[in-house]
Amino acid sequence: MNDIDAWVWWLVGAAALGIPLVVTAMPEFGMLAVGAVAAAIAAGLGGDIVVQVLVFAVVSVALIAVVRPIATRHRSQRPQLVTGVDALKGKQAVVLERVDNAGGRIKLAGEVWSARSLDTGRAYEVGQEVDVVDIEGATAIVL
């Protein structure tokens, strides 16, 4: 460490923390890398080793405490754009052929679908509007 300044070692440490970030996709390593860059800046400004370690610890812990919960919440949210059969759930359809537990036909999103009643004792007549509660294969489950 005699020939190389402390800030260089902190940058090497930041780069070393970036490798597991890329390999494991764990954002905590990136937050630790940012802490190491902050410590490199502190070393470049003339801070002693105690100041450097404190800056590393404070920045890393602050990022983990603030950014990690936000990232976790963002990751657990459902996507805003729903596509495919998931987009059809909750839509209304019009009965084309009587729909009961045995089957029938509906017009859903401009297409003709086979359908089945969710309630086994209930039947829907031609022209009635029904709500699609689920899609099982190519059959809409309606209520």
Side-chain angles (χ1 to χ4, degrees):
M1 208 160 135
N2 296 338
D3 294 340
I4 300 176
D5 291 331
W7 66 269
V8 175
W9 286 109
W10 282 109
L11 290 180
V12 169
L17 288 166
I19 293 169
L21 167 67
V22 172
V23 172
T24 64
M26 290 181 60
E28 291 82 0
F29 285 111
M31 295 174 210
L32 292 172
V34 171
V37 170
I41 293 170
L45 293 174
D48 65 356
I49 191 69
V50 173
V51 171
Q52 295 169 32
V53 171
L54 282 175
V55 167
F56 171 74
V58 168
V59 170
S60 298
V61 168
L63 283 172
I64 290 172
V66 173
V67 175
R68 188 169 182 239
I70 294 169
T72 302
R73 186 173 353 129
H74 181 70
R75 189 174 33 219
S76 67
Q77 288 179 345
R78 290 193 57 166
Q80 297 292 334
L81 179 63
V82 183
T83 60
V85 293
D86 289 333
L88 299 175
K89 294 177 185 176
K91 297 280 185 183
Q92 285 194 332
V94 177
V95 176
L96 298 178
E97 294 176 11
R98 185 172 194 252
V99 175
D100 56 19
N101 190 39
R105 298 242 180 245
I106 59 171
K107 187 163 193 168
L108 172 62
E111 297 178 349
V112 177
W113 282 72
S114 60
R116 180 173 89 236
S117 174
L118 178 66
D119 184 359
T120 56
R122 181 92 192 247
Y124 302 97
E125 299 302 327
V126 175
Q128 221 175 336
E129 286 191 356
V130 292
D131 293 319
V132 177
V133 293
D134 199 8
I135 305 283
E136 291 179 358
T139 302
I141 310 301
V142 298
L143 182 64

